[in-house]
Amino acid sequence: MRIMLERRDDRPRWLSLASPLAAVTLTMIAGAILFALMGRNPAAALKVFFIDPLSDGWALQELAVKATPLILISVGLALCYRSNTWNIGAEGQLVMGAIFGSWLALATHGTPNGPWVIAAMLALGALGGMCWALIPALLKIRFGVNEILTSLMLVYVAELTLDYLVRGRWRDPKGFNFPQSVNFEPEATMPLLAESGRLHVGFLIAIAVALTAAFVMARMIKGFEIRLVGEAPRAARFAGFDDRRTTLLVFAVSGALAGLAGIIEVAGPIGQLQPSISPGYGFTAIIVAFLGRLNPIGALIAALFLALTFIGGENAQIAMRIPLDVTRVFQGLLLFFVLGCDAFLLYRLRILSAGRTT
């Protein structure tokens, strides 16, 4: 008997929609088993993770706050992956965007300024992320260097640059030697949407970005170009589309959105630069992009679900003394099942035996 995978000639639409739902279900089952092995009540643990955060107004605000960077980054990554280019370094682009935008906040600290500061910071953040993302893109189209490796390695360069700055030139002189910058002035922070809580206008920006990207991909020639270059590069060349130019475009947009997420995170919930400004949003957004079927609206929905795992993990740590690292295990399991379900979306399982095929 031999087991093989046979590529599907056609893929039913219902199967494409069912794949992420099946991945989430399998993740829940695997999580329940994990909690049981840890000696916790699986039903109670899953309730703390996924139900309790939805029953509290403050937690709902925190859900939106944590989903904001995931939405921005995953939308950009979805554009990259649809064009068959692989940006794995969004975490570094997030950090570099935070550095670029924070420079203005620190340069204008203690001086009279107005609302233009936060707008300029957002623009600088997007510019910083874009510049960082264009490095692997240019290496790819000029020298054929693998963009997966270069974009990933640049993450560590960006993180060490941030660490150097907050421990050196940008360290708060009145901060008792802690590695952090001064707190940003009110004009250099994201405006809040509610008096209580941390929900800020960055969430509205993220929704607007997702809706705009969905419109571009569905209704504009540039979206068609991105899809065609990824799905049929030879046909794209016959149609007059330049795959090198498309690579530069999607990396620039992806990096700009990651950089925008970085400065929004620093100027929003954090309010200053620290050695670590992200719990891994850039890498988690990869799961979000695939769970959302590389669709901007799907990424928005998936980002809210992944943000729920962050909030639920913090709740479980307090209420049930479950290690916070279980959140990363959940996210890893989700990526595993998403990829596994996608494999059966592209291929069908066949069992070959002597004289019989099923």
Side-chain angles (χ1 to χ4, degrees), residues 181-196:
S181 72
V182 296
N183 290 318
F184 293 171
E185 298 282 5
E187 295 83 359
T189 57
M190 298 298 295
L192 297 177
L193 294 176
E195 294 183 0
S196 60

Side-chain angles (χ1 to χ4, degrees), residues 335-349:
L335 178 60
F336 173 79
F337 286 120
V338 166
L339 296 178
C341 290
D342 279 355
F344 287 103
L345 176 65
L346 298 173
Y347 301 90
R348 61 166 54 90
L349 186 67

Side-chain angles (χ1 to χ4, degrees), residues 61-75:
Q61 286 196 40
E62 286 297 302
L63 181 69
V65 169
K66 291 189 179 296
T68 297
L70 292 176
I71 295 170
L72 290 168
I73 301 170
S74 62
V75 168

Side-chain angles (χ1 to χ4, degrees), residues 44 77 126 242:
L77 293 182
D242 187 346

